[in-house]
Amino acid sequence: DARVTQTPRHKVTEMGQEVTMRCQPILGHNTVFWYRQTMMQGLELLAYFRNRAPLDDSGMPKDRFSAEMPDATLATLKIQPSEPRDSAVYFCASGLVSDGRGLSNQPQHFGDGTRLSIL
Amino acid sequence: TQLLKQSPQFLSIQEGENLTVYCNSSSVFSSLQWYRQEPGEGPVLLVTVVTGGEVKKLKRLTFQFGDARKDSSLHITAAQTGDTGLYLCAGVGGAQKLVFGQGTRLTINP
């Protein structure tokens, strides 16, 4: 089965350091989502891309977070500088959203997440 | 902001018992999804309900979408220890964006 791959699976670093999380979406999916999961807030949408273009990053703290898709096989989420309150599990998900040319919507598939701890 | 509230937040029952988990919102969603998440893994889609009043069955799991498409329920019959996990409902909004509930952490005791 095709899977969304996230790296690293775990990251522990000190506050102030830059953190980069990577995601390889499922081949053929045109939409990539970044989520953050914490015990207090649950799963929150941070940003998403359609055909590599950013569509919505309103859920993301703009001053320290950035999300990019350098190519169709790689999405990145960066935090610089990191803070202890950024500690969470970050999930990437990919899906196929109809573009009006005969494609039907397909559900999102989630990766297994990056567990981030900022000390 | 569209919010989804799940209840209960935690549920611990004995194997063989039945249970129901609820997902409620003040907003209408085009469809609603239920996910199950196990420790160290991402959520996995169980079902999507689209039509108001729709009922879908997945073995011992029965999912229902409210007539007004604002609420949903998940009923498990004769729970098994393998059903243990975090159950999440998610409303599907524009551009396939998902709004998740806080989840119900279910523990089935042998």
Side-chain angles (χ1 to χ4, degrees), chain B residues 18-92:
Chain B
N18 301 331
L19 66 106
T20 302
V21 174
Y22 299 93
C23 176
N24 294 289
S25 172
S26 57
S27 302
V28 175
F29 289 97
S30 59
S31 59
L32 195 139
Q33 298 179 335
W34 283 92
Y35 290 79
R36 182 172 157 217
Q37 185 179 15
E38 301 202 36
E41 299 181 5
V44 175
L45 180 66
L46 296 174
V47 77
T48 301
V49 285
V50 180
T51 308
E54 182 177 4
V55 176
K56 280 192 173 178
K57 290 195 174 185
L58 192 65
K59 296 184 180 177
R60 295 174 294 100
L61 278 61
T62 301
F63 303 86
Q64 186 160 6
F65 202 11
D67 291 340
R69 305 206 324 271
K70 290 184 179 181
D71 55 85
S72 181
S73 63
L74 158 60
H75 182 79
I76 300 180
T77 304
Q80 300 177 357
T81 55
D83 296 328
T84 293
L86 178 66
Y87 288 81
L88 296 156
C89 67
V92 183

